[in-house]
């Protein structure tokens, strides 16, 4: 790194009076690109972006219990992956929008109608492209689809949409999150979805869009019991979704034990 910086190649770090160089995360990401193009054979060790044939990995963090550390897990996972050099999209699917607040978006003040994922999955003609909804965050390499109370509309409108479906060609509810994410797939390596604490249409959409699941769980009797209910209900609902043609292959399903 020192030689690179002395040769004037790559980003210019801040240099302290004692000669210590420090790089911002943006500069580290520039360095990754620089090294990957200077040493194409070792590119993967510098720049872990997915290669041709690698699919987008979409991780849904779910459990129907509030306070089981879904949001905490989502944000640290997303930030960790961004620090590793991946291009990460965090999706806040919880109307309570804690993930958005943590990533610097005030859900009550900073958002207009259609600025959440709802804008990209709604059934009417106000639907917008997801790329117009995504925001950069203060964290390099980590973009956000914010959430707020507007997401609840999807839970209310889906039953009507299901009834009217015979007369319209609109995509069925459990495919809409995945279809929206597919629009921006080329820009990202990993999507992390923070699910709401209930097994509604949004959560089902996320589980269907996901290539893997993280289920957060407190190691306490009552919580474990409620989680097994969640899993039973999910299995029931998913078998209905599967019959309707939903894609439910997951690369992994992991339980994350959280305690505090
Ligand atoms: N590993 C941890 N250690 C200590 N406190 C934690 C940990 N994970 C989460 N918490 C705290 O637990 C509470 C609930 O976490 P949160 O992620 O908001 O849960 P959820 O999104 O499932 O409702 C928060 O106050 C959070 O700060
Ligand atoms: Mg939460």
């Amino acid at each position: 790194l020192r030689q690179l910086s002395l040769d004037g190649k790559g980003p210019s770090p801040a240099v302290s009076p004692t000669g210590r160089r420090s790089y911002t995360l943006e500069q580290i990401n520039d360095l990754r690109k620089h090294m990957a193009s200077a040493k194409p054979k070792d590119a993967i060790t510098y720049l872990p972006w997915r290669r041709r044939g690698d699919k987008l990995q979409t991780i849904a963090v779910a459990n129907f219990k509030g306070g089981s550390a879904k949001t905490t897990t989502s944000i640290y996972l997303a930030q960790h992956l961004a620090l590793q050099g991946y291009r990460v999209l965090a999706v806040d699917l919880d109307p309570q929008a804690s993930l958005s607040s943590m990533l610097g978006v005030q859900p009550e003040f900073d958002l207009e109608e259609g600025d959440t994922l709802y804008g990209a999955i709604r059934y009417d003609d106000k639907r917008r492209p997801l790329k117009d909804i995504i925001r950069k965050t203060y964290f390099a390499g980590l973009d956000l689809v914010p959430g707020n109370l507007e997401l609840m509309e999807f839970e209310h409108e889906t039953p009507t949409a299901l009834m009217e479906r015979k007369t319209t060609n609109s995509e069925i509810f459990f495919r809409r999150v995945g279809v929206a994410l597919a629009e921006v797939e080329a820009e990202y390596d990993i999507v992390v979805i923070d699910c709401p604490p209930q097994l509604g249409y949004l959560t089902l959409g996320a589980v269907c869009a996901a290539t893997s699941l993280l289920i957060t769980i407190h190691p306490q009797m009552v919580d474990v019991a409620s989680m097994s209910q969640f899993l039973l209900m999910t299995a029931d609902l998913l078998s209905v979704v599967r019959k309707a043609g939903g894609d439910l292959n997951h690369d992994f399903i992991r339980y994350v034990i959280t305690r505090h």
Side-chain angles (χ1 to χ4, degrees):
L1 281 184
R2 183 168 170 271
Q3 198 53 49
L4 208 65
S5 145
L6 290 175
D7 293 350
K9 291 178 182 157
S12 326
V15 185
S16 77
T18 54
R20 182 183 289 270
R21 292 176 176 73
S22 49
Y23 295 83
T24 64
L25 182 52
E26 278 94 345
Q27 289 179 322
I28 293 174
N29 287 336
D30 288 346
L31 265 178
R32 291 184 207 274
K33 285 182 208 151
H34 177 83
M35 295 303 291
S37 65
K39 297 188 174 180
K41 269 194 176 160
D42 299 328
I44 191 85
T45 57
Y46 296 110
L47 195 65
W49 291 9
R50 65 199 166 95
R51 303 299 196 261
R52 190 185 293 275
D54 294 346
K55 66 169 189 259
L56 178 77
Q57 185 66 241
T58 303
I59 304 173
V61 182
N63 190 341
F64 70 7
K65 197 166 159 52
S68 61
K70 288 182 293 300
T71 304
T72 313
T73 304
S74 304
I75 190 162
Y76 288 132
L77 178 64
Q79 292 183 338
H80 167 78
L81 292 167
L83 280 175
Q84 305 293 308
Y86 293 103
R87 298 163 300 169
V88 184
L89 178 64
V91 180
D92 193 351
L93 217 52
D94 186 348
Q96 291 171 47
S98 319
L99 184 73
S100 307
S101 316
M102 288 181 190
L103 286 172
V105 175
Q106 301 175 89
E108 328 68 345
F109 304 117
D110 298 339
L111 301 180
E112 312 256 333
E113 187 189 341
D115 281 349
T116 71
L117 191 73
Y118 173 69
I121 61 175
R122 61 195 293 168
Y123 296 94
D124 60 16
D125 54 15
K126 288 190 182 161
R127 219 189 77 80
R128 310 167 60 197
L130 186 58
K131 71 168 170 32
D132 296 348
I133 299 174
I134 291 172
R135 300 175 178 222
K136 297 256 165 261
T137 67
Y138 57 81
F139 209 96
L142 174 52
D143 292 353
L144 171 71
V145 179
N148 71 7
L149 282 174
E150 161 188 277
L151 283 163
M152 288 305 294
E153 299 294 324
F154 189 72
E155 303 290 344
H156 300 144
E157 287 166 5
T158 295
T160 323
L162 278 171
M163 293 207 304
E164 288 170 357
R165 193 161 171 255
K166 289 194 181 78
T167 55
T168 69
N169 277 328
S170 106
E171 196 70 72
I172 193 161
F173 74 91
F174 57 79
R175 264 201 273 273
R176 298 181 84 83
V177 176
V179 165
L181 290 175
E183 291 170 18
V184 297
E185 183 174 8
E187 312 297 317
Y188 298 98
D189 301 301
I190 303 177
V191 178
V192 177
I193 309 179
D194 183 20
C195 293
Q198 76 231 14
L199 193 54
Y201 298 114
L202 287 167
T203 303
L204 279 173
V207 169
C208 290
T211 51
S212 46
L213 302 179
L214 287 182
I215 315 236
T216 51
I217 168 76
H218 274 310
Q220 278 169 7
M221 200 273 272
V222 182
D223 296 294
V224 175
S226 101
M227 182 194 67
S228 55
Q229 265 186 305
F230 172 81
L231 293 175
L232 277 172
M233 266 175 70
T234 314
D236 265 7
L237 284 168
L238 291 187
S239 63
V240 176
V241 167
R242 186 177 280 126
K243 274 189 200 126
D247 171 17
L248 291 169
N249 291 321
H250 293 117
D251 294 337
F252 64 84
I253 300 178
R254 289 271 185 287
Y255 303 100
V256 183
I257 311 285
T258 57
R259 57 169 90 223
H260 50 94

